[in-house]
């Protein structure tokens, strides 16, 4: 989807969410986000702004104390991870996102534990995007490079045919070439029809490829707009892009 306007069918809606880890301390303070069907949404902002916490709030990993998260109109606030996966929410955390002692194939099977009969069909879909994994299914995930692990993590999440994929800093810790590759892969996943919500440190690169972006600051959505508009917004550039990414 290339449209910069916020139109279409909402897949994920985050409305006025307040959430935190410790009693009485909220990290998200009235945060809002909408991802429409087919969109690639980017979330940027300073360290500690609550970007990862926002993904965790969608994926039931932090206490949501106010507000609501919906998936295709259904309230999913605070559901458990396995319930969210079966409803079509895929989450790729930044670290520890593969099982290193298992082979690539076993990792992919773990991704599909709720629908094992669909394995062949889903494997065809993910190897259509990550063709290089096809010949290496028997290799242990622990022996892969960071970039290759990231591919396995994305593939594993895609096995469940998610309605939305949440990605926390897919380019983090990768060499510049591998970072580029990670962004290209996320674009390809999105072009294959998967709605994506991506948190990124590499703010410029993220805004260049996303349909719409959100700038998070102190647990709130401070700015939102098309990737291009945010890149060209002097306030966003001055406050958030000067120090973020290149
Ligand atoms: N498990 C936790 N328990 C308590 N506080 C936490 C926990 N995880 C995160 N926090 C706090 O929540 C705040 C926001 O953290 P979060 O990880 O969401 O930020 P972020 O925007 O993803 O930052 P970064 O760019 O560094 O990844 C930080 O002050 C952090 O210390
Ligand atoms: Mg984070």
């Amino acid at each position: 989807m290339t449209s910069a306007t916020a139109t279409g069918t909402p897949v994920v809606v985050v409305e006025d969410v307040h959430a935190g880890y410790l009693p009485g301390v909220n990290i998200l303070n009235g945060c809002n986000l909408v991802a429409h069907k087919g969109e690639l949404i980017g979330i940027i902002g300073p360290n500690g702004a609550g970007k990862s916490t926002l993904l965790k709030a969608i994926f039931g990993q932090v206490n949501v104390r106010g507000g609501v998260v919906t998936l295709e109109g259904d309230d999913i606030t605070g559901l458990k991870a396995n319930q969210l996966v079966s409803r079509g929410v895929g989450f790729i955390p930044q670290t520890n996102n593969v099982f290193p002692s298992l082979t690539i194939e076993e990792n992919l099977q773990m991704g599909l534990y709720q629908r094992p009969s669909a394995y062949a069909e889903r494997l065809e879909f993910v190897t259509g995007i990550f063709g290089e994994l096809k010949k290496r299914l028997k290799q242990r995930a622990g022996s892969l490079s960071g970039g290759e692990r990231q591919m396995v993590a994305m593939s594993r999440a895609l096995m469940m045919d998610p309605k939305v994929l949440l990605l926390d800093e897919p380019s983090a810790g990768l060499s510049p070439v591998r970072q580029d590759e990670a962004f290209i892969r996320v674009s390809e996943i999105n072009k294959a029809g998967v709605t994506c919500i991506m948190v990124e440190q590499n703010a410029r690169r993220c805004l260049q490829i996303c349909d719409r972006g959100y700038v998070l600051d102190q647990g709130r959505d401070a700015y939102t707009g098309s990737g291009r508009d945010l890149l060209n917004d002097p306030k966003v550039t001055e406050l958030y892009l000067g120090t973020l990414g290149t």
Side-chain angles (χ1 to χ4, degrees):
M1 177 163 165
T2 52
S3 164
T5 53
T7 55
T9 312
V11 179
V12 171
V13 178
V14 174
E15 211 177 318
D16 196 24
V17 160
H18 294 68
Y21 303 92
L22 305 173
V25 183
N26 280 345
I27 303 298
L28 299 181
N29 298 296
C31 194
N32 300 281
L33 176 143
V34 180
H36 300 97
K37 199 168 167 56
E39 274 190 317
L40 171 50
I41 298 292
I43 302 172
I44 62 166
N47 294 119
K51 302 181 298 295
S52 296
T53 303
L54 175 54
L55 293 190
K56 290 185 202 166
I58 298 170
F59 203 64
Q61 310 267 293
V62 61
N63 292 322
V64 175
R65 296 170 178 144
V68 66
V69 182
T70 61
L71 177 72
E72 294 185 331
D74 294 333
D75 189 345
I76 57 162
T77 319
L79 290 188
K80 303 246 177 310
N82 64 326
Q83 296 171 308
L84 290 162
V85 169
S86 62
R87 281 170 179 249
V89 185
F91 178 44
I92 308 171
Q94 186 183 326
T95 52
N96 301 327
N97 53 23
V98 297
F99 297 99
S101 61
L102 302 182
T103 64
I104 293 176
E105 183 170 43
E106 288 162 343
N107 267 277
L108 297 183
Q109 286 164 345
M110 293 292 281
L112 200 59
Y113 71 102
Q114 291 176 332
R115 285 172 58 220
S117 62
Y119 183 73
E121 174 207 320
R122 293 309 301 161
L123 184 67
E124 201 175 318
F125 177 83
V126 301
T127 53
I129 297 173
F130 299 100
E132 55 275 71
L133 296 183
K134 213 170 182 172
K135 290 191 210 124
R136 304 171 67 176
L137 289 173
K138 303 293 178 201
Q139 188 172 342
R140 264 183 355 105
S143 67
L144 300 173
S145 71
E148 291 164 344
R149 281 188 198 211
Q150 192 57 255
M151 284 185 209
V152 175
M154 290 185 196
S155 301
R156 184 158 62 85
L158 286 172
M159 290 301 280
M160 271 300 281
D161 195 8
K163 290 174 182 152
V164 60
L165 198 57
L166 313 175
L167 302 115
D168 197 351
E169 301 204 21
S171 81
L174 304 181
S175 67
V177 171
R178 288 297 200 165
Q179 285 188 17
D180 269 349
E181 198 179 339
F183 283 109
I184 291 166
R185 296 313 175 98
V186 173
S187 284
E188 283 174 4
I189 290 168
N190 177 247
K191 288 198 181 91
V194 184
T195 306
C196 294
I197 303 177
M198 168 175 64
V199 166
E200 257 301 329
Q201 278 295 327
N202 192 335
R204 281 182 197 283
R205 194 80 176 84
C206 176
L207 293 179
Q208 281 162 359
I209 68 160
C210 72
D211 294 308
R212 289 189 304 112
Y214 288 82
V215 182
L216 243 64
D217 198 356
Q218 297 179 40
R220 282 204 182 89
D221 45 309
Y223 294 92
T224 183
S226 71
R228 183 176 307 177
D229 286 350
L230 290 175
L231 275 171
N232 293 328
D233 185 327
K235 283 195 300 290
V236 172
T237 310
E238 187 193 330
L239 291 173
Y240 305 104
L241 295 178
T243 55
L244 287 172
T246 49

mmCIF file with all atom_site columns, all heavy atoms in Angstrom, residues 108-124:
data_model
loop_
_atom_site.group_PDB
_atom_site.id
_atom_site.type_symbol
_atom_site.label_atom_id
_atom_site.label_alt_id
_atom_site.label_comp_id
_atom_site.label_asym_id
_atom_site.label_entity_id
_atom_site.label_seq_id
_atom_site.pdbx_PDB_ins_code
_atom_site.Cartn_x
_atom_site.Cartn_y
_atom_site.Cartn_z
_atom_site.occupancy
_atom_site.B_iso_or_equiv
_atom_site.pdbx_formal_charge
_atom_site.auth_seq_id
_atom_site.auth_comp_id
_atom_site.auth_asym_id
_atom_site.auth_atom_id
_atom_site.pdbx_PDB_model_num
ATOM 1   N N   . LEU A 1 108 ? 10.629 -23.502 12.496 1.00 0.00 ? 108 LEU A N   1
ATOM 2   C CA  . LEU A 1 108 ? 9.442  -23.185 11.692 1.00 0.00 ? 108 LEU A CA  1
ATOM 3   C C   . LEU A 1 108 ? 8.242  -23.999 12.167 1.00 0.00 ? 108 LEU A C   1
ATOM 4   O O   . LEU A 1 108 ? 7.117  -23.498 12.229 1.00 0.00 ? 108 LEU A O   1
ATOM 5   C CB  . LEU A 1 108 ? 9.723  -23.439 10.209 1.00 0.00 ? 108 LEU A CB  1
ATOM 6   C CG  . LEU A 1 108 ? 10.830 -22.578 9.589  1.00 0.00 ? 108 LEU A CG  1
ATOM 7   C CD1 . LEU A 1 108 ? 10.968 -22.881 8.098  1.00 0.00 ? 108 LEU A CD1 1
ATOM 8   C CD2 . LEU A 1 108 ? 10.564 -21.102 9.795  1.00 0.00 ? 108 LEU A CD2 1
ATOM 9   N N   . GLN A 1 109 ? 8.507  -25.261 12.531 1.00 0.00 ? 109 GLN A N   1
ATOM 10  C CA  . GLN A 1 109 ? 7.403  -26.096 13.039 1.00 0.00 ? 109 GLN A CA  1
ATOM 11  C C   . GLN A 1 109 ? 6.855  -25.531 14.345 1.00 0.00 ? 109 GLN A C   1
ATOM 12  O O   . GLN A 1 109 ? 5.646  -25.540 14.583 1.00 0.00 ? 109 GLN A O   1
ATOM 13  C CB  . GLN A 1 109 ? 7.874  -27.538 13.217 1.00 0.00 ? 109 GLN A CB  1
ATOM 14  C CG  . GLN A 1 109 ? 8.030  -28.253 11.881 1.00 0.00 ? 109 GLN A CG  1
ATOM 15  C CD  . GLN A 1 109 ? 8.848  -29.527 11.970 1.00 0.00 ? 109 GLN A CD  1
ATOM 16  O OE1 . GLN A 1 109 ? 9.539  -29.774 12.963 1.00 0.00 ? 109 GLN A OE1 1
ATOM 17  N NE2 . GLN A 1 109 ? 8.800  -30.326 10.911 1.00 0.00 ? 109 GLN A NE2 1
ATOM 18  N N   . MET A 1 110 ? 7.765  -25.014 15.209 1.00 0.00 ? 110 MET A N   1
ATOM 19  C CA  . MET A 1 110 ? 7.314  -24.397 16.463 1.00 0.00 ? 110 MET A CA  1
ATOM 20  C C   . MET A 1 110 ? 6.381  -23.223 16.173 1.00 0.00 ? 110 MET A C   1
ATOM 21  O O   . MET A 1 110 ? 5.428  -22.968 16.910 1.00 0.00 ? 110 MET A O   1
ATOM 22  C CB  . MET A 1 110 ? 8.500  -23.864 17.270 1.00 0.00 ? 110 MET A CB  1
ATOM 23  C CG  . MET A 1 110 ? 9.425  -24.910 17.819 1.00 0.00 ? 110 MET A CG  1
ATOM 24  S SD  . MET A 1 110 ? 8.658  -25.883 19.093 1.00 0.00 ? 110 MET A SD  1
ATOM 25  C CE  . MET A 1 110 ? 8.802  -24.768 20.468 1.00 0.00 ? 110 MET A CE  1
ATOM 26  N N   . GLY A 1 111 ? 6.685  -22.508 15.082 1.00 0.00 ? 111 GLY A N   1
ATOM 27  C CA  . GLY A 1 111 ? 5.851  -21.365 14.711 1.00 0.00 ? 111 GLY A CA  1
ATOM 28  C C   . GLY A 1 111 ? 4.443  -21.784 14.343 1.00 0.00 ? 111 GLY A C   1
ATOM 29  O O   . GLY A 1 111 ? 3.523  -20.967 14.369 1.00 0.00 ? 111 GLY A O   1
ATOM 30  N N   . LEU A 1 112 ? 4.280  -23.031 14.008 1.00 0.00 ? 112 LEU A N   1
ATOM 31  C CA  . LEU A 1 112 ? 2.991  -23.508 13.501 1.00 0.00 ? 112 LEU A CA  1
ATOM 32  C C   . LEU A 1 112 ? 2.362  -24.535 14.440 1.00 0.00 ? 112 LEU A C   1
ATOM 33  O O   . LEU A 1 112 ? 1.513  -25.311 14.030 1.00 0.00 ? 112 LEU A O   1
ATOM 34  C CB  . LEU A 1 112 ? 3.215  -24.139 12.116 1.00 0.00 ? 112 LEU A CB  1
ATOM 35  C CG  . LEU A 1 112 ? 2.004  -24.276 11.215 1.00 0.00 ? 112 LEU A CG  1
ATOM 36  C CD1 . LEU A 1 112 ? 1.380  -22.917 10.963 1.00 0.00 ? 112 LEU A CD1 1
ATOM 37  C CD2 . LEU A 1 112 ? 2.383  -24.909 9.898  1.00 0.00 ? 112 LEU A CD2 1
ATOM 38  N N   . TYR A 1 113 ? 2.782  -24.520 15.719 1.00 0.00 ? 113 TYR A N   1
ATOM 39  C CA  . TYR A 1 113 ? 2.333  -25.599 16.598 1.00 0.00 ? 113 TYR A CA  1
ATOM 40  C C   . TYR A 1 113 ? 0.818  -25.638 16.759 1.00 0.00 ? 113 TYR A C   1
ATOM 41  O O   . TYR A 1 113 ? 0.257  -26.672 17.085 1.00 0.00 ? 113 TYR A O   1
ATOM 42  C CB  . TYR A 1 113 ? 3.027  -25.503 17.973 1.00 0.00 ? 113 TYR A CB  1
ATOM 43  C CG  . TYR A 1 113 ? 2.556  -24.356 18.818 1.00 0.00 ? 113 TYR A CG  1
ATOM 44  C CD1 . TYR A 1 113 ? 1.652  -24.564 19.861 1.00 0.00 ? 113 TYR A CD1 1
ATOM 45  C CD2 . TYR A 1 113 ? 2.995  -23.055 18.600 1.00 0.00 ? 113 TYR A CD2 1
ATOM 46  C CE1 . TYR A 1 113 ? 1.220  -23.516 20.639 1.00 0.00 ? 113 TYR A CE1 1
ATOM 47  C CE2 . TYR A 1 113 ? 2.570  -22.009 19.369 1.00 0.00 ? 113 TYR A CE2 1
ATOM 48  C CZ  . TYR A 1 113 ? 1.672  -22.231 20.383 1.00 0.00 ? 113 TYR A CZ  1
ATOM 49  O OH  . TYR A 1 113 ? 1.227  -21.193 21.137 1.00 0.00 ? 113 TYR A OH  1
ATOM 50  N N   . GLN A 1 114 ? 0.149  -24.499 16.478 1.00 0.00 ? 114 GLN A N   1
ATOM 51  C CA  . GLN A 1 114 ? -1.312 -24.506 16.623 1.00 0.00 ? 114 GLN A CA  1
ATOM 52  C C   . GLN A 1 114 ? -2.033 -25.033 15.374 1.00 0.00 ? 114 GLN A C   1
ATOM 53  O O   . GLN A 1 114 ? -3.217 -25.308 15.426 1.00 0.00 ? 114 GLN A O   1
ATOM 54  C CB  . GLN A 1 114 ? -1.817 -23.096 16.950 1.00 0.00 ? 114 GLN A CB  1
ATOM 55  C CG  . GLN A 1 114 ? -1.390 -22.642 18.355 1.00 0.00 ? 114 GLN A CG  1
ATOM 56  C CD  . GLN A 1 114 ? -1.809 -21.211 18.653 1.00 0.00 ? 114 GLN A CD  1
ATOM 57  O OE1 . GLN A 1 114 ? -1.930 -20.409 17.740 1.00 0.00 ? 114 GLN A OE1 1
ATOM 58  N NE2 . GLN A 1 114 ? -2.009 -20.901 19.916 1.00 0.00 ? 114 GLN A NE2 1
ATOM 59  N N   . ARG A 1 115 ? -1.297 -25.142 14.244 1.00 0.00 ? 115 ARG A N   1
ATOM 60  C CA  . ARG A 1 115 ? -1.941 -25.621 12.999 1.00 0.00 ? 115 ARG A CA  1
ATOM 61  C C   . ARG A 1 115 ? -0.980 -26.492 12.208 1.00 0.00 ? 115 ARG A C   1
ATOM 62  O O   . ARG A 1 115 ? -0.627 -26.156 11.073 1.00 0.00 ? 115 ARG A O   1
ATOM 63  C CB  . ARG A 1 115 ? -2.345 -24.428 12.119 1.00 0.00 ? 115 ARG A CB  1
ATOM 64  C CG  . ARG A 1 115 ? -3.555 -23.668 12.586 1.00 0.00 ? 115 ARG A CG  1
ATOM 65  C CD  . ARG A 1 115 ? -3.743 -22.408 11.745 1.00 0.00 ? 115 ARG A CD  1
ATOM 66  N NE  . ARG A 1 115 ? -3.878 -22.695 10.326 1.00 0.00 ? 115 ARG A NE  1
ATOM 67  C CZ  . ARG A 1 115 ? -3.317 -21.966 9.358  1.00 0.00 ? 115 ARG A CZ  1
ATOM 68  N NH1 . ARG A 1 115 ? -2.549 -20.934 9.650  1.00 0.00 ? 115 ARG A NH1 1
ATOM 69  N NH2 . ARG A 1 115 ? -3.496 -22.273 8.093  1.00 0.00 ? 115 ARG A NH2 1
ATOM 70  N N   . PRO A 1 116 ? -0.482 -27.613 12.776 1.00 0.00 ? 116 PRO A N   1
ATOM 71  C CA  . PRO A 1 116 ? 0.580  -28.382 12.120 1.00 0.00 ? 116 PRO A CA  1
ATOM 72  C C   . PRO A 1 116 ? 0.233  -28.857 10.705 1.00 0.00 ? 116 PRO A C   1
ATOM 73  O O   . PRO A 1 116 ? 1.118  -28.999 9.870  1.00 0.00 ? 116 PRO A O   1
ATOM 74  C CB  . PRO A 1 116 ? 0.816  -29.566 13.064 1.00 0.00 ? 116 PRO A CB  1
ATOM 75  C CG  . PRO A 1 116 ? -0.314 -29.558 14.024 1.00 0.00 ? 116 PRO A CG  1
ATOM 76  C CD  . PRO A 1 116 ? -0.909 -28.203 14.049 1.00 0.00 ? 116 PRO A CD  1
ATOM 77  N N   . SER A 1 117 ? -1.056 -29.064 10.413 1.00 0.00 ? 117 SER A N   1
ATOM 78  C CA  . SER A 1 117 ? -1.421 -29.604 9.093  1.00 0.00 ? 117 SER A CA  1
ATOM 79  C C   . SER A 1 117 ? -1.124 -28.620 7.963  1.00 0.00 ? 117 SER A C   1
ATOM 80  O O   . SER A 1 117 ? -1.042 -29.008 6.793  1.00 0.00 ? 117 SER A O   1
ATOM 81  C CB  . SER A 1 117 ? -2.902 -29.986 9.074  1.00 0.00 ? 117 SER A CB  1
ATOM 82  O OG  . SER A 1 117 ? -3.661 -28.829 9.302  1.00 0.00 ? 117 SER A OG  1
ATOM 83  N N   . ALA A 1 118 ? -0.955 -27.354 8.303  1.00 0.00 ? 118 ALA A N   1
ATOM 84  C CA  . ALA A 1 118 ? -0.735 -26.350 7.257  1.00 0.00 ? 118 ALA A CA  1
ATOM 85  C C   . ALA A 1 118 ? 0.741  -26.199 6.907  1.00 0.00 ? 118 ALA A C   1
ATOM 86  O O   . ALA A 1 118 ? 1.103  -25.310 6.130  1.00 0.00 ? 118 ALA A O   1
ATOM 87  C CB  . ALA A 1 118 ? -1.307 -25.011 7.711  1.00 0.00 ? 118 ALA A CB  1
ATOM 88  N N   . TYR A 1 119 ? 1.603  -27.076 7.452  1.00 0.00 ? 119 TYR A N   1
ATOM 89  C CA  . TYR A 1 119 ? 3.050  -26.868 7.335  1.00 0.00 ? 119 TYR A CA  1
ATOM 90  C C   . TYR A 1 119 ? 3.534  -26.676 5.894  1.00 0.00 ? 119 TYR A C   1
ATOM 91  O O   . TYR A 1 119 ? 4.211  -25.687 5.588  1.00 0.00 ? 119 TYR A O   1
ATOM 92  C CB  . TYR A 1 119 ? 3.813  -28.017 8.003  1.00 0.00 ? 119 TYR A CB  1
ATOM 93  C CG  . TYR A 1 119 ? 5.311  -27.814 7.973  1.00 0.00 ? 119 TYR A CG  1
ATOM 94  C CD1 . TYR A 1 119 ? 5.918  -26.876 8.793  1.00 0.00 ? 119 TYR A CD1 1
ATOM 95  C CD2 . TYR A 1 119 ? 6.118  -28.540 7.102  1.00 0.00 ? 119 TYR A CD2 1
ATOM 96  C CE1 . TYR A 1 119 ? 7.281  -26.658 8.760  1.00 0.00 ? 119 TYR A CE1 1
ATOM 97  C CE2 . TYR A 1 119 ? 7.495  -28.332 7.056  1.00 0.00 ? 119 TYR A CE2 1
ATOM 98  C CZ  . TYR A 1 119 ? 8.064  -27.391 7.892  1.00 0.00 ? 119 TYR A CZ  1
ATOM 99  O OH  . TYR A 1 119 ? 9.408  -27.172 7.843  1.00 0.00 ? 119 TYR A OH  1
ATOM 100 N N   . ALA A 1 120 ? 3.186  -27.612 5.016  1.00 0.00 ? 120 ALA A N   1
ATOM 101 C CA  . ALA A 1 120 ? 3.728  -27.570 3.646  1.00 0.00 ? 120 ALA A CA  1
ATOM 102 C C   . ALA A 1 120 ? 3.343  -26.268 2.944  1.00 0.00 ? 120 ALA A C   1
ATOM 103 O O   . ALA A 1 120 ? 4.169  -25.614 2.307  1.00 0.00 ? 120 ALA A O   1
ATOM 104 C CB  . ALA A 1 120 ? 3.233  -28.775 2.852  1.00 0.00 ? 120 ALA A CB  1
ATOM 105 N N   . GLU A 1 121 ? 2.086  -25.893 3.119  1.00 0.00 ? 121 GLU A N   1
ATOM 106 C CA  . GLU A 1 121 ? 1.584  -24.679 2.460  1.00 0.00 ? 121 GLU A CA  1
ATOM 107 C C   . GLU A 1 121 ? 2.278  -23.427 3.001  1.00 0.00 ? 121 GLU A C   1
ATOM 108 O O   . GLU A 1 121 ? 2.706  -22.548 2.255  1.00 0.00 ? 121 GLU A O   1
ATOM 109 C CB  . GLU A 1 121 ? 0.069  -24.619 2.719  1.00 0.00 ? 121 GLU A CB  1
ATOM 110 C CG  . GLU A 1 121 ? -0.625 -23.390 2.242  1.00 0.00 ? 121 GLU A CG  1
ATOM 111 C CD  . GLU A 1 121 ? -1.875 -23.129 3.085  1.00 0.00 ? 121 GLU A CD  1
ATOM 112 O OE1 . GLU A 1 121 ? -2.595 -24.107 3.426  1.00 0.00 ? 121 GLU A OE1 1
ATOM 113 O OE2 . GLU A 1 121 ? -2.103 -21.962 3.421  1.00 0.00 ? 121 GLU A OE2 1
ATOM 114 N N   . ARG A 1 122 ? 2.433  -23.360 4.300  1.00 0.00 ? 122 ARG A N   1
ATOM 115 C CA  . ARG A 1 122 ? 3.067  -22.177 4.897  1.00 0.00 ? 122 ARG A CA  1
ATOM 116 C C   . ARG A 1 122 ? 4.561  -22.144 4.586  1.00 0.00 ? 122 ARG A C   1
ATOM 117 O O   . ARG A 1 122 ? 5.140  -21.089 4.387  1.00 0.00 ? 122 ARG A O   1
ATOM 118 C CB  . ARG A 1 122 ? 2.845  -22.136 6.420  1.00 0.00 ? 122 ARG A CB  1
ATOM 119 C CG  . ARG A 1 122 ? 1.424  -21.916 6.851  1.00 0.00 ? 122 ARG A CG  1
ATOM 120 C CD  . ARG A 1 122 ? 0.766  -20.737 6.178  1.00 0.00 ? 122 ARG A CD  1
ATOM 121 N NE  . ARG A 1 122 ? 1.447  -19.461 6.417  1.00 0.00 ? 122 ARG A NE  1
ATOM 122 C CZ  . ARG A 1 122 ? 1.294  -18.376 5.677  1.00 0.00 ? 122 ARG A CZ  1
ATOM 123 N NH1 . ARG A 1 122 ? 0.503  -18.396 4.618  1.00 0.00 ? 122 ARG A NH1 1
ATOM 124 N NH2 . ARG A 1 122 ? 1.937  -17.265 5.965  1.00 0.00 ? 122 ARG A NH2 1
ATOM 125 N N   . LEU A 1 123 ? 5.189  -23.354 4.536  1.00 0.00 ? 123 LEU A N   1
ATOM 126 C CA  . LEU A 1 123 ? 6.620  -23.399 4.216  1.00 0.00 ? 123 LEU A CA  1
ATOM 127 C C   . LEU A 1 123 ? 6.847  -22.826 2.819  1.00 0.00 ? 123 LEU A C   1
ATOM 128 O O   . LEU A 1 123 ? 7.811  -22.097 2.580  1.00 0.00 ? 123 LEU A O   1
ATOM 129 C CB  . LEU A 1 123 ? 7.135  -24.844 4.301  1.00 0.00 ? 123 LEU A CB  1
ATOM 130 C CG  . LEU A 1 123 ? 8.629  -25.000 4.076  1.00 0.00 ? 123 LEU A CG  1
ATOM 131 C CD1 . LEU A 1 123 ? 9.416  -24.342 5.214  1.00 0.00 ? 123 LEU A CD1 1
ATOM 132 C CD2 . LEU A 1 123 ? 9.024  -26.479 3.976  1.00 0.00 ? 123 LEU A CD2 1
ATOM 133 N N   . GLU A 1 124 ? 5.934  -23.134 1.910  1.00 0.00 ? 124 GLU A N   1
ATOM 134 C CA  . GLU A 1 124 ? 6.065  -22.616 0.555  1.00 0.00 ? 124 GLU A CA  1
ATOM 135 C C   . GLU A 1 124 ? 5.985  -21.086 0.555  1.00 0.00 ? 124 GLU A C   1
ATOM 136 O O   . GLU A 1 124 ? 6.760  -20.407 -0.115 1.00 0.00 ? 124 GLU A O   1
ATOM 137 C CB  . GLU A 1 124 ? 4.950  -23.200 -0.310 1.00 0.00 ? 124 GLU A CB  1
ATOM 138 C CG  . GLU A 1 124 ? 5.282  -23.136 -1.779 1.00 0.00 ? 124 GLU A CG  1
ATOM 139 C CD  . GLU A 1 124 ? 4.218  -23.839 -2.606 1.00 0.00 ? 124 GLU A CD  1
ATOM 140 O OE1 . GLU A 1 124 ? 3.768  -24.935 -2.196 1.00 0.00 ? 124 GLU A OE1 1
ATOM 141 O OE2 . GLU A 1 124 ? 3.835  -23.270 -3.632 1.00 0.00 ? 124 GLU A OE2 1
#
